[in-house]
Amino acid sequence: MRAVIQRVRAAKVTVLDELVSSIGPGLCVLVGIKASDTATDVDYLVRKILALRLFEEEGKRWQKSVKDLSLEILCVSQFTLYHRLKGNKPDFSAAMKGEEAQQLYNQFLERLGQSYDSSKIKDGKFGAYMQVHIENDGPVTINLESPEQKQPGEAVDK
């Protein structure tokens, strides 16, 4: 699982000029899900997103997390985070497909809410053509990816 995390002053998602979700200060998280992702990847990203110290305290940078400051999080599903270029054309075959991806994304949102405060978790509209408006603060942008999981029977590195 991959996330592009942006510290924002404000962010919102619209679909066909209709407001879907909006937040004030907090994080905007673009979430990509690859075909082999599982609940283990969800747990890793949730834990890291909530613990990342991207905010100031008393003029000192990188001291507080979104959770420490009770800020909001706007999540946006984005399969294009798992692309490969074939010449000049992007290929998205590494991304998890439709319904399965939506189930894992919903699990991600649920876990965020369970680990934090569900009223502070907002999201776009899965699978829709969205406009994401981000007022980046800093700018601060962090790329995060869950570690590769060992498959059963796979040799362990020493």
Side-chain angles (χ1 to χ4, degrees):
M1 248 177 135
R2 188 174 285 166
V4 176
I5 303 159
Q6 297 180 308
R7 186 177 71 189
V8 299
R9 288 186 179 197
K12 67 180 180 178
V13 173
T14 59
V15 174
L16 299 173
D17 294 324
E18 299 254 342
L19 181 65
V20 174
S21 291
S22 65
I23 64 168
L27 299 176
C28 182
V29 181
L30 308 177
V31 181
I33 302 172
K34 74 174 179 279
S36 60
D37 284 338
T38 67
T40 302
D41 300 287
V42 167
D43 290 341
Y44 175 85
L45 273 191
V46 166
R47 190 175 69 253
K48 284 300 204 181
I49 289 166
L50 293 177
L52 275 173
R53 296 185 309 189
L54 300 179
F55 298 91
E56 291 184 11
E57 179 184 47
E58 298 174 7
K60 292 178 82 176
R61 293 183 182 180
W62 322 118
Q63 299 299 307
K64 295 288 185 178
S65 71
V66 69
K67 194 171 178 178
D68 293 333
L69 298 174
S70 296
L71 301 175
E72 295 175 298
I73 303 172
L74 175 61
C75 299
V76 179
S77 62
Q78 190 170 349
F79 73 92
T80 62
L81 292 179
Y82 277 103
H83 72 279
R84 281 190 314 234
L85 288 180
K86 289 188 172 181
N88 292 322
K89 183 178 179 184
D91 171 70
F92 305 109
S93 61
M96 187 178 282
K97 304 299 179 249
E99 190 173 312
E100 188 181 5
Q102 186 169 10
Q103 288 173 358
L104 201 59
Y105 178 71
N106 287 339
Q107 186 179 348
F108 168 77
L109 294 173
E110 287 170 23
R111 289 283 294 123
L112 263 179
Q114 291 166 353
S115 301
Y116 181 32
D117 175 350
S118 59
S119 71
K120 295 194 181 295
I121 308 303
K122 313 288 186 195
D123 78 300
K125 187 171 182 183
F126 189 92
Y129 185 79
M130 296 176 272
Q131 290 70 50
V132 181
H133 308 264
I134 300 169
E135 186 181 340
N136 208 318
D137 183 23
V140 172
T141 302
I142 302 292
N143 294 319
L144 185 61
E145 185 152 11
S146 58
E148 288 292 324
Q149 303 299 314
K150 296 281 184 202
Q151 299 301 318
E154 192 174 321
V156 177
D157 294 335
K158 293 192 177 201

